[in-house]
């Protein structure tokens, strides 16, 4: 039923494929490791949500866009995985570039599993996930001591129609960081109220986290639907629900400076 | 009760203080933004858990270690905050460097609030939090589709003795990513079993996530105490509990290569 793994061996060779987190949008939130791997890439399969400025680190690479914007024309996951297999077998240095962190709503698990089934080794490089960047951009400490014991990152809806156990989430009392929640905001509000969450619970809605065009709408659970409409909230946005939102200092955190066009 | 914030203004001046996430250990997981800010720093107040190699980006700065290792001699939080205020008032470029991400168990909230009360502006730079690095280092996709709708980052104990609502967490069904859990591992196991979590639920215990000396112990909820003891698990470690652990590809992810001493 269980086994104890030995210490990981030192891997001296590079994996055939790297899954790399491009971060939340601000190209300065890329890691040094991501930059090193991009600079050496022959082919980069990139999500459409990745900031084009991130691709400036790999001018030598062939760039292939494999978009998956919610609701829009997109590249099927199976096709992306076939492309990955094809390039990996050609022996080129392949990077699969994803917004945020590959392990948080990034489908890294599916792509890793597919590669593993074909005996192809892959490495993963973490990125800053949008929920964390959204919190930071608004001065919200997601796990502030004395207020909550943790934070839950979740999606409010899935393709197979499953939805979270809102009652259990409310009882657990962790800060909720909801991804891809704009389309289902009215339902999320109704579910959280039905589950007994206080109507006055503070909520932050953050559009374009970490980018110069970042926008923040502070509201409450009861008011969030009306406020989101008045605000003109658009995807992609992050919703943070919990008392830590009210504890955030009133001074805004520093959004990245707008860069002048050269 | 609520208000709608206008778009954030472009901040053209730097804040007086930067809270910077140093990441989980691997110095290559630092962001480009963190490197830029460290290079310009006059004074860096750094947690002991930060990899000394991160400090190679700021040879020009005065480095002050403000340790806070669990159980060991440490610098009280109030003293750290007084130091921050003193340097901020002197007008030096001050960086407060923290392991992981400042907004996840990093006490950024307390430090931001203290600075804000004294009218001092601060900026925050995200880092890769240890729980994400631990997952990636073991090929675990924390939010794998079809298995779970999310992931909860939490501590198993607090200084004020509060503990999580384990029943609600189990019912919510999110992947649990538990920080600072080695000392209370036996209690966590008992609580999760009592709350109805299946004894066979897969668990990964990861020591020194992202470092060359990273070690992984794969086990189950029922066996995790015995296995952790046999393994000699030591802090700091991350515990990941949930079915996504079993879905991880068997091939290990790439640990950073050991670097030879120059």
């Amino acid at each position: 039923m269980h086994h104890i793994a030995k210490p990981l061996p030192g891997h001296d060779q590079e994996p055939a494929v790297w899954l790399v987190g491009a971060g939340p949008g601000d190209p300065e939130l890329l890691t040094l490791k991501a930059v090193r791997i991009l600079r050496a890439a022959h082919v980069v399969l990139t999500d459409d949500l990745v900031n084009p400025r991130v691709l400036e680190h790999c001018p030598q690479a062939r760039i292939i866009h494999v978009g998956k914007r919610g609701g829009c024309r997109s590249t099927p996951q199976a096709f992306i995985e076939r492309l990955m297999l094809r390039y990996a077998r050609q022996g080129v240095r392949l990077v699969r570039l994803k917004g945020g962190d590959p392990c948080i709503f990034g489908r890294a698990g599916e792509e890793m599993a597919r590669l593993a089934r074909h005996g192809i080794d892959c490495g993963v490089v973490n990125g800053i996930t949008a929920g964390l960047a959204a919190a930071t951009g608004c001065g919200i400490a997601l796990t502030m001591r004395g207020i909550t014991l943790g934070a839950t990152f979740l999606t409010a809806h899935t393709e197979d129609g499953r939805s979270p156990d809102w009652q259990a989430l409310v009882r657990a009392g962790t800060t909720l960081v909801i991804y891809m929640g704009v389309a289902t905001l009215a339902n999320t509000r109704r579910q959280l109220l039905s589950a007994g969450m206080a109507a006055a619970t503070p909520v932050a809605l953050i559009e374009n986290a970490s980018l110069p065009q970042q926008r923040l709408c502070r509201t409450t659970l009861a008011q969030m639907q009306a406020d989101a409409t008045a605000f003109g909230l658009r995807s992609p946005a992050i919703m943070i629900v919990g008392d830590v939102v009210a504890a955030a200092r009133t001074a805004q955190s520093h959004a990245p400076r707008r860069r002048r066009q050269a």
Side-chain angles (χ1 to χ4, degrees), chain A residues 52-120:
Chain A
R53 295 203 46 225
V54 168
L55 299 171
E56 292 174 8
H57 294 290
C58 51
Q60 81 293 343
R62 178 169 174 203
I63 309 293
I64 301 172
H65 288 267
V66 286
K68 276 215 315 273
R69 266 177 205 278
C72 299
R73 190 173 46 128
S74 66
T75 316
Q77 183 65 22
F79 179 72
I80 295 173
E81 290 170 15
R82 278 203 303 279
L83 267 183
M84 290 174 73
L85 283 172
R86 182 201 301 169
Y87 283 112
R89 283 172 178 147
Q90 288 176 8
V92 302
R93 286 197 292 266
L94 175 63
V95 172
R96 173 77 176 97
L97 191 62
K98 294 163 167 295
D101 185 288
C103 288
I104 293 284
F105 308 121
R107 293 195 169 181
E110 291 158 72
E111 295 177 6
M112 288 190 289
R114 177 83 178 254
L115 291 167
R117 279 200 300 277
H118 289 82
I120 293 167

Side-chain angles (χ1 to χ4, degrees), chain A residues 24-259:
Chain A
D26 178 358
E28 263 205 303
L29 291 179
L30 206 61
T31 66
L32 298 175
K33 187 169 183 176
V35 170
R36 170 171 65 80
I37 289 166
L38 284 170
R39 281 188 184 147
H42 294 127
V43 175
V44 176
L45 298 185
T46 182
D47 281 351
D48 272 343
L49 282 175
V50 170
N51 190 326
R53 295 203 46 225
V54 168
L55 299 171
E56 292 174 8
H57 294 290
C58 51
Q60 81 293 343
R62 178 169 174 203
I63 309 293
I64 301 172
H65 288 267
V66 286
K68 276 215 315 273
R69 266 177 205 278
C72 299
R73 190 173 46 128
S74 66
T75 316
Q77 183 65 22
F79 179 72
I80 295 173
E81 290 170 15
R82 278 203 303 279
L83 267 183
M84 290 174 73
L85 283 172
R86 182 201 301 169
Y87 283 112
R89 283 172 178 147
Q90 288 176 8
V92 302
R93 286 197 292 266
L94 175 63
V95 172
R96 173 77 176 97
L97 191 62
K98 294 163 167 295
D101 185 288
C103 288
I104 293 284
F105 308 121
R107 293 195 169 181
E110 291 158 72
E111 295 177 6
M112 288 190 289
R114 177 83 178 254
L115 291 167
R117 279 200 300 277
H118 289 82
I120 293 167
D121 192 23
C122 90
V124 183
V125 181
N126 291 113
I128 304 296
T129 183
L132 271 179
T136 293
C138 307
I140 297 168
L142 290 176
T143 62
M144 196 154 179
R145 284 200 314 157
I147 296 179
T148 181
L149 290 165
T152 299
F153 293 71
L154 74 156
T155 47
H157 72 111
T158 61
E159 286 170 27
D160 60 5
R162 294 199 310 158
S163 79
D165 184 333
W166 295 106
Q167 283 216 310
L169 288 169
V170 170
R171 253 189 63 204
T174 55
T175 304
L176 301 182
V177 184
I178 303 173
Y179 286 62
M180 298 167 275
V182 175
T184 52
L185 190 138
N187 182 56
T188 299
R189 173 182 170 279
R190 195 167 50 239
Q191 296 284 352
L192 287 171
L193 286 170
S194 302
M197 184 178 270
T201 303
V203 173
L205 306 169
I206 303 110
E207 199 180 274
N208 285 309
S210 86
L211 291 169
Q213 61 269 35
Q214 173 179 303
R215 297 198 309 151
L216 161 68
C217 173
R218 279 178 189 280
T219 178
T220 60
L221 178 58
Q223 293 292 332
M224 75 178 187
Q225 190 182 352
D227 284 353
T229 303
F231 189 76
L233 185 74
R234 298 201 317 193
S235 283
I238 294 284
M239 187 183 312
I240 304 178
V241 182
D243 290 334
V244 296
V245 171
R249 68 210 162 105
T250 45
Q252 298 298 351
S253 172
H254 283 252
R257 284 166 290 176
R258 284 174 198 278
R259 287 167 198 276

